Amino acid sequence: MRWKLLTAAILCAALVAVPALTFQGRAQGQARAAEALSPEAQPYNTVVRWTRETQANKMGDDIVMTQGFNADGDAVVTILEDDAPIITVSTYDENGNTVAVQSYDDGLLFVNSQYTYNEQGDQTAWVYQARTEDGVTETAYTYEYTYDADGNMTQKDTYEGDTLTARETYSREQTDEGTVVRTITNGDLEPDLTCYDDDGDPLWREKGDYRMVYYYDAQGRETENCVIDAGMQQNRTITVYGDDGYAIRRILYGADLNDIISTSEIETLPGAPELWTDFAQAESTTVILAQAPAGDSQADVQATESAPAVQSDPAAQPAS
């Protein structure tokens, strides 16, 4: 179950869009669980496109992930296919902000995240609750933030229960390359450095001898990223796009282009996979089914589960 909790937490973070450059948002305080919205009122949450990514790696552990996207390109459903598949459902508000991410294992809700925003649309809270196989709720994590007069985050405090476990501080410097954000955790003399371009996309991230570099095409799509240690390439990921503008292949290389660690083929599906239709019939979700197989009706049922409040972690997003 531990790896599933980790996977779900990564999905929860990856599925939430947070301004990477400015970290805007001044409101702080206790988060409140977002109320489930009527599916009829959220067409922006409708699944309009399904893809399946099949990863073959040299370790022999093939991974299959199916995703359903709304019209804005946001992942609404993510399915890690396995003997016991993990299904993650995301809900968006009328502004396109993620308000809930819920992960299910064998029909059991085991990770439930809720997100809240201020009037400016800046994320102010992340409600995160996890359960063990025995149904025990794990210790809540709380994140508290400090902002400058421009709405840029300058400090993040992390609490496990009532205990302060980490403090991160942020500073920014405008350079010829772009805006460099310096992150210092618990007074560490070796900070994380991340450089963003004018659009807020990361150009590189650096920690000690490690450096990750990002490359984009003319459409602003990430085509390549590379991890370098002490000047030597450790791995490189290349993404290939089709004529329709969507990714069709992703290749992960090791130290050189002769060392292929994994290859992912991405296909667009004609409709919702059976795993999802079975789940949607058995469980309550806030997702409306579009492109259902012929003869099947759309699922438009509402979420019924909620979770206690935990505060958000918008600073976790920039380097993802």
Side-chain angles (χ1 to χ4, degrees), residues 26-34 114-118 123-129 140-145 157 159 161-162 307-312:
R26 298 180 177 84
Q28 300 184 29
Q30 280 303 108
R32 297 182 182 276
Q114 306 281 339
Y115 305 83
T116 57
Y117 302 82
N118 61 19
Q123 182 186 324
T124 58
W126 173 13
V127 178
Y128 181 87
Q129 203 68 40
Y141 285 85
T142 302
Y143 306 91
E144 295 183 350
Y145 307 93
D157 289 338
Y159 292 86
D162 295 328
V310 182
Q311 288 196 343
S312 68

Side-chain angles (χ1 to χ4, degrees), residues 132-184:
T132 66
E133 288 181 296
D134 299 325
V136 178
T137 300
E138 296 199 333
T139 302
Y141 285 85
T142 302
Y143 306 91
E144 295 183 350
Y145 307 93
T146 303
Y147 300 86
D148 64 20
D150 296 322
N152 297 317
M153 185 186 300
T154 58
Q155 181 172 299
K156 180 188 77 174
D157 289 338
T158 302
Y159 292 86
E160 183 174 355
D162 295 328
T163 305
L164 178 65
T165 58
R167 169 166 289 174
E168 294 182 0
T169 57
Y170 310 94
S171 61
R172 291 160 178 76
E173 178 185 356
Q174 192 64 42
T175 70
D176 292 339
E177 288 184 272
T179 301
V180 176
V181 177
R182 177 184 299 267
T183 304
I184 300 177

Side-chain angles (χ1 to χ4, degrees), residues 215-256:
Y215 301 90
Y216 304 89
D217 62 15
Q219 287 73 47
R221 302 170 302 190
E222 183 182 318
T223 57
E224 186 176 346
N225 65 67
C226 182
V227 176
I228 302 169
D229 177 20
M232 301 294 293
Q233 175 180 310
Q234 300 301 300
N235 60 68
R236 179 183 297 267
T237 301
I238 295 177
T239 301
V240 180
Y241 296 86
D243 294 336
D244 59 3
Y246 298 114
I248 59 174
R249 184 173 300 107
R250 188 171 292 112
I251 306 171
L252 173 62
Y253 298 91
D256 59 59

Side-chain angles (χ1 to χ4, degrees), residues 3-4 80-87 104-106:
W3 73 271
K4 292 184 176 180
L80 294 178
E81 300 185 21
D82 201 345
D83 294 336
I86 297 175
I87 297 179
Y104 297 80
D105 178 19
D106 196 23

Side-chain angles (χ1 to χ4, degrees), residues 101-113 130-131 283 305-307:
V101 179
Q102 297 165 316
S103 292
Y104 297 80
D105 178 19
D106 196 23
L108 174 66
L109 178 66
F110 73 99
V111 169
N112 190 347
S113 291
R131 300 177 186 170
E283 302 292 335
E305 298 196 65
S306 61

Side-chain angles (χ1 to χ4, degrees), residues 38-72:
S38 167
E40 292 81 2
Q42 46 180 333
Y44 44 83
N45 206 45
T46 302
V47 177
V48 296
R49 181 173 177 268
W50 289 93
T51 67
R52 174 172 288 133
E53 180 172 343
T54 303
Q55 178 192 111
N57 58 66
K58 66 181 183 181
M59 281 74 76
D61 300 322
D62 291 355
I63 299 172
V64 180
M65 182 173 70
T66 300
Q67 289 187 294
F69 299 89
N70 63 18
D72 292 329

